[in-house]
Amino acid sequence: MKKIPDKDILIFKSCLVSGEYPGVESSTKYLFDKLGVEYVLDERQSCCTGLGYYFDLFDQFSTTALAARNFAIAREIEHKNIATLCATCYAILKKACNILNENDTVRNRINQIFKDSKMDHMEYSPGDFDSHSNIFHAAEILWNKTAEIKEIPKIDLSNFKIASHHACHYCKVHYKEETIGNMRNPMIIEELAKTCGVETVDWYDHKRTTCGAGFRQRFANLDLSLSVTADKLLSLQENDVDILLHMCPNCQMQFDRYQPVIEKKLNTKFDLVHLNIAQFLALAMGADPYKVVGVQTHTVPLDNILERINQASPVVI
Amino acid sequence: MEIKTLKIGKKNNKLTESIIHDLRASEDIGVNKCIQCGMCTSVCPASRHSDYDSREIAKRVLEEDESVICDDIIWNCFSCYSCHSICPVGNSVAEIVQILRQKAIAQGKLEQVVTFLAFGESLMELGIGSIPLEYFNILIEIIGDEYLDIKINLDDIREELGLGKLTLPDDDTRDIKIILEKTGFTNRLEKLRAYKESNKNSKHKG
């Protein structure tokens, strides 16, 4: 089992969290504060390029060069434990880190670019970062604190049935040694949700299926994209799931933004809402839905869960 | 007698070798180890819902069938890595397809990427990528005006949530621009811009 840190953490900002569900970032900060996880954010950190990489617009070399720049920032502020909010940032950074450590030609070319641009301080030396022990998903940092989370008073949400969507770029890209638990049936989200005393659907047909965003497919091939999302929604409907918990803003966007579109297409109604695992835990701990959790940027209304929260106050479960 | 196995008697391995040594490929990618078991296809969302077939892509690559590069079907992959994570011999059709697409782009097949040009431009200007306007407009059309409202009020919402600025300081976007000029990315965007312009012109003439 990999060693998960709780200090010297750089929360790695994500373009889709920032622009679609900023409440994921504020909820993560809220939880880290409550759990005594020491972290910083840095305004200089750039986008990982991930969406562009999978739109086939970014080449691996340019993506790796920008990763080296972001690694240099984390090194300079002595917060070398990177916690991503997005599964694609997680996969992109791990790959870039491995290339920088192992491929001398690429590393030398990137370092030469830094030298020629008077950015010598950005130069990367082999072993500066280790993809295994320095790059994490924020959900893993939380999972490592499951025992502490259990102790924090929470609102009783046991009348909601929960399922997870673990995000392909978290569990399938660097699947060999990096995914916590069984990559064929990841349980990080369920184990975190269970701290709130809720019932979780630990396996459902299509649990491992992609959200359907497919990067370019959502935009250039919408029907194909939505047919995959529909597979998963129908399976969740069969299991009477109330809340689908996420760990990737791209997947969350696919389900939350397009669920009403698919409902119209299939002439059905999904009684299903979408939250990131950090948003869910923050809500359960009594965080303000609008000032911390950011429910105002969601498309599928969260009325049911907000009603429940308004009626109750946090207690030790 | 015709040789039926994929690899015995194979004389040319230009395509497979170029994929194996591509920077996008996992170091130990098992392209040549493929046994055509079809596990990849069995878990592939594109194979379930379209004419795309992961196993067939792996086969065509093994057969050195270069026509696969310009076959539009490769653009149906979701990059979900289901094939990659389930393959018993460490092959990765997901990575193969990404590399084939880069080869198609290098051969001038730009129509599949040109529509995403604005993501790159935004990353160069602001340090953060964004949804190209034409796709954003479609999103508003199908999701509704509430989605536009979220975007209009984003700065206020972020402030309410106690979050920092969405974009990077000017010094940093300048650095990013310099880096991306030297990696060749700027050049790539320029080619796409020229392609977009020439298409617009030919459409006008048409």
Side-chain angles (χ1 to χ4, degrees), chain A residues 13-20 22-23 25-26 29 43-66 69 73 95 99 102-103 106 109-110 113-114 116-117 119 121-122 168-169 171-176 183-184 206 208-210 212-222 224-228 231 253 257-258 261 264 289-294 296-299, chain B residues 22-28 39 43 45-46 48-50 74-91 95 97-99 101-102 105 111-121 123-124 127-132 135-136 138-139 142-143 146-147 150-151 154 157-158 160-169 171-180 182-186 188-189 192:
Chain A
K13 288 177 291 166
S14 132
C15 62
L16 283 172
V17 164
S18 297
E20 298 287 333
E25 185 178 319
S26 39
K29 285 166 66 183
E43 60 174 6
R44 298 169 297 170
Q45 176 232 311
S46 79
C47 173
C48 79
T49 78
L51 290 182
Y53 181 91
Y54 289 108
F55 291 152
D56 306 289
L57 189 67
F58 265 85
D59 55 285
Q60 182 68 59
F61 184 68
S62 301
T63 291
T64 310
L66 288 191
R69 179 184 170 276
I73 291 168
K95 185 166 184 121
I99 290 173
E102 290 155 20
N103 190 319
V106 168
R109 272 181 66 202
I110 289 171
I113 289 174
F114 288 146
D116 294 345
S117 318
M119 298 178 207
H121 59 288
M122 296 269 172
C168 296
H169 287 194
C171 53
K172 297 182 197 163
V173 181
H174 302 281
Y175 62 97
K176 280 180 196 152
M183 66 93 177
R184 291 204 173 147
H206 288 297
R208 264 178 57 85
T209 303
T210 168
F215 299 90
R216 66 187 320 283
Q217 310 309 346
R218 165 195 291 161
F219 299 113
N221 223 345
L222 185 65
L224 177 64
S225 163
L226 294 187
S227 60
V228 173
D231 280 348
M253 183 181 173
R257 303 282 185 233
Y258 293 89
V261 182
K264 259 186 235 159
Y290 296 91
K291 290 180 181 157
V292 176
V293 181
Q296 60 272 48
T297 74
H298 286 237
T299 295
Chain B
D22 193 284
L23 195 53
R24 277 209 184 214
S26 291
E27 213 184 355
D28 50 356
M39 293 265 277
V43 293
R48 192 163 60 242
H49 289 282
S50 76
I74 64 171
W75 297 90
N76 276 12
C77 168
F78 281 68
S79 306
C80 75
Y81 287 76
S82 297
C83 54
H84 169 103
S85 72
I86 205 152
C87 179
V89 295
N91 197 7
E95 286 181 351
V97 165
Q98 288 169 38
I99 295 161
R101 288 176 179 179
Q102 290 303 321
I105 292 165
E111 72 266 23
Q112 306 279 7
V113 274
V114 72
T115 50
F116 296 102
L117 172 63
F119 179 91
E121 290 175 329
L123 207 142
M124 295 273 276
I128 179 168
S130 71
I131 300 170
Y135 289 132
F136 183 66
I138 296 172
L139 273 171
I142 63 172
I143 297 168
E146 299 89 338
Y147 185 65
I150 293 168
K151 295 290 173 179
L154 189 61
I157 295 170
R158 288 180 59 85
E160 198 179 357
L161 294 168
L163 300 174
K165 261 190 85 179
L166 194 63
T167 54
L168 269 65
D171 283 355
D172 294 281
T173 49
R174 199 194 51 219
D175 285 357
I176 286 165
K177 248 188 206 169
I178 293 171
I179 294 168
L180 290 180
K182 290 181 176 156
T183 64
F185 185 71
T186 312
R188 202 172 156 100
L189 287 191
L192 284 169

Side-chain angles (χ1 to χ4, degrees), chain B residues 23-74:
Chain B
L23 195 53
R24 277 209 184 214
S26 291
E27 213 184 355
D28 50 356
I29 188 169
V31 174
N32 284 321
K33 295 178 188 156
C34 175
I35 47 165
Q36 287 287 294
C37 69
M39 293 265 277
C40 47
T41 299
S42 79
V43 293
C44 171
S47 303
R48 192 163 60 242
H49 289 282
S50 76
D51 292 336
Y52 178 93
D53 182 344
S54 318
R55 184 173 81 143
E56 187 67 20
I57 305 276
K59 181 166 180 276
R60 286 172 72 180
V61 165
L62 272 176
E63 289 173 345
E64 293 288 327
D65 174 6
E66 299 228 4
S67 74
V68 70
I69 295 169
C70 286
D71 191 330
D72 279 340
I73 203 70
I74 64 171

Side-chain angles (χ1 to χ4, degrees), chain A residues 7 14 18 22-23 30 43 60 64 67-68 110 116 137 146 150 152 161 197 218 234 240 244 258 264 266 292 300:
Chain A
K7 59 177 184 185
S14 132
S18 297
Y30 172 90
E43 60 174 6
Q60 182 68 59
T64 310
I110 289 171
D116 294 345
H137 191 291
T146 308
K150 262 186 199 148
I152 298 173
K161 204 171 173 186
R218 165 195 291 161
L234 290 167
D240 298 318
L244 187 65
Y258 293 89
K264 259 186 235 159
L266 301 182
V292 176
V300 176

